[in-house]
Amino acid sequence: MKLNINTASKANLPTTSAQRNIGSYGDDTAGPTLLCICGIHGNEPSGLQAFHRVLATLKEEEHEVRGHLVGLAGNLKALKQKVRFIHEDLNRIWSVARITRVLEDSVSGNFQNAEEEEQAEILHHLEEIFSQSKGPIYVMDLHTTSSVSQPFVTINDTIRNREFAKNLPFLMVLGIEEFLDGTVLSYVNELGHIAIGVESGQHQDPYSIVWHELAIWLALAHSGCLQSELPHHIKEKVQLLATTEKNVFEVRHRKELLKNEQFEMNPGYTNFDNVKKGQVIAKNVHGNIQVPEDGQILMPLYQKLGEDGFFIVRQIKPLWLGISKWLRSKGVHRLLPYLPGIRKYQGQGHELLVNTKIAKYYVIEFFHLLGFRKKTQMGRHILFSRRKYDFEAP
Ligand SMILES: [Zn+2]
């Protein structure tokens, strides 16, 4: 759904705009817009620092751009207090229903909590940035993790997101939105813009800033925004990383944290460590927590605040990525409602209901290949929804 967020302009907005807009570079010429969202989690300031570095170099070396680069700070109150969030995770409240209510609340200025106030103001800025843009829009959401990590990119699995994310010399994780509701990336994606998340490393690791800086420069270059050459120190890093592996993974499992379960990761796990089915990697009030299937661990929780204990991901072979792109380009998904056990949901073409008693094997994998995400499980039925704007902008 394309949201009309005009109401935010008339609302009583909080007065923190000066810090919200962390800077921009470019001019009025038609060209792409690259928007960086920095610190939507308040204990992750790396993106802000990287953005300032990029901005300083752009100005100092007088780089030429078409379109512009703009940076928005995420959770300002939480950034000040150096905590992930104040009342709730600002990166889990971007559902259509929630946004509609927050926009209503913004008219009176009576917000229900700190994060809703932050969200209203970010929405206002997004509306302004998107409406003024004179070309394609690219959004990068800059994060870090509580565990030690090599940098990786997370995307909603559209071909357009994949192609753009491939320009970064990092590992890629597809389909995390199937497990996380209400992320800002999904919201922006649904509007039809290309959107990628960059998890650059551990919160306090100085290299996290370096990788975020590299990500911003490469996004500037590959979006067509940057007209001059990359700065010398960035070119050096690109060369250094030219031969690193850029494996692609899909998310298979999320350990959701329940209230008062006293979840505790066993020490020593870092992102993309191999784990085996049955391996004990954490504990809670009920005892040991085992890994449900072979794979690699992602984002094990080594901080107090958070709703995800860990994720399990699995590598996708390049061949399957190629097959998936080809199948989607041929529109194979249109044949699905004619297969046994599959029917359109409430007459909608982009949502399909699958009876797993009839369609039994590799159902989720097959639907992923064709560009669908699993929405919900309803008894023996699974509801899949096809991702919008897979190949083309709206
Ligand atoms: Zn984060």
Side-chain angles (χ1 to χ4, degrees), residues 187-205:
Y187 166 68
V188 170
N189 244 182
E190 293 277 297
L191 295 176
H193 310 311
I194 287 173
I196 67 175
V198 180
E199 303 274 358
S200 65
Q202 205 272 343
H203 300 325
Q204 276 88 35
D205 186 344

Side-chain angles (χ1 to χ4, degrees), residues 7 25 34-35 46 59 63 90 93 97 110 157 163 178 186 230 234 269 272 283 318 375 390:
T7 48
Y25 187 85
L34 174 64
L35 164 67
S46 162
K59 288 176 184 167
H63 281 272
L90 180 57
I93 58 175
N110 290 327
D157 183 21
E163 299 293 324
E178 206 170 82
S186 289
L230 287 168
I234 296 297
Y269 288 100
F272 302 100
K283 58 177 177 282
K375 235 177 148 184
D390 197 3

Side-chain angles (χ1 to χ4, degrees), residues 313-373:
V313 298
R314 190 169 68 181
Q315 198 181 331
I316 310 175
K317 293 206 169 74
L319 171 73
W320 284 108
L321 292 168
I323 290 173
S324 152
K325 186 177 172 184
W326 184 80
L327 288 170
R328 294 189 201 181
S329 74
K330 299 291 173 204
V332 171
H333 66 274
R334 286 194 282 269
L335 302 173
L336 287 173
Y338 302 101
L339 296 179
I342 303 175
R343 64 179 166 87
K344 287 183 184 173
Y345 182 64
Q346 296 180 339
Q348 306 237 24
H350 68 282
E351 291 198 322
L352 296 176
L353 198 62
V354 180
N355 183 337
T356 52
K357 276 244 159 106
I358 302 169
K360 284 185 184 168
Y361 305 105
Y362 297 105
V363 173
I364 294 176
E365 287 84 349
F366 184 60
F367 274 79
H368 280 172
L369 275 182
L370 297 180
F372 286 79
R373 56 167 288 203

Side-chain angles (χ1 to χ4, degrees), residues 273-322:
D273 279 352
N274 289 316
V275 283
K276 286 263 171 218
K277 184 179 176 179
Q279 190 176 331
V280 174
I281 62 168
K283 58 177 177 282
N284 63 9
V285 279
H286 307 295
N288 288 335
I289 298 172
Q290 297 179 346
V291 176
E293 63 177 65
D294 290 1
Q296 287 79 33
I297 194 165
L298 194 71
M299 295 194 268
L301 188 73
Y302 287 113
Q303 62 191 12
K304 282 209 178 82
L305 288 181
E307 292 160 348
D308 321 308
F310 57 82
F311 294 86
I312 300 297
V313 298
R314 190 169 68 181
Q315 198 181 331
I316 310 175
K317 293 206 169 74
L319 171 73
W320 284 108
L321 292 168

Side-chain angles (χ1 to χ4, degrees), residues 40-41 44 84 91 142-144 199 203:
I40 200 161
H41 292 135
E44 302 175 13
R84 184 174 168 92
N91 201 27
L142 304 176
H143 290 261
T144 47
E199 303 274 358
H203 300 325

Side-chain angles (χ1 to χ4, degrees), residues 73-118:
N75 197 333
L76 283 173
K77 294 182 199 76
L79 278 162
K80 266 183 208 136
Q81 296 186 29
K82 299 185 170 71
V83 291
R84 184 174 168 92
F85 56 80
I86 307 292
H87 296 120
E88 67 177 324
D89 193 330
L90 180 57
N91 201 27
R92 299 289 184 276
I93 58 175
W94 294 82
S95 68
V96 172
R98 192 73 186 264
I99 289 171
T100 308
R101 188 169 61 66
V102 167
L103 288 176
E104 280 165 17
D105 289 350
S106 71
V107 177
S108 63
N110 290 327
F111 296 102
Q112 302 197 0
N113 65 30
E115 273 69 29
E116 291 198 350
E117 193 174 354
E118 298 277 336

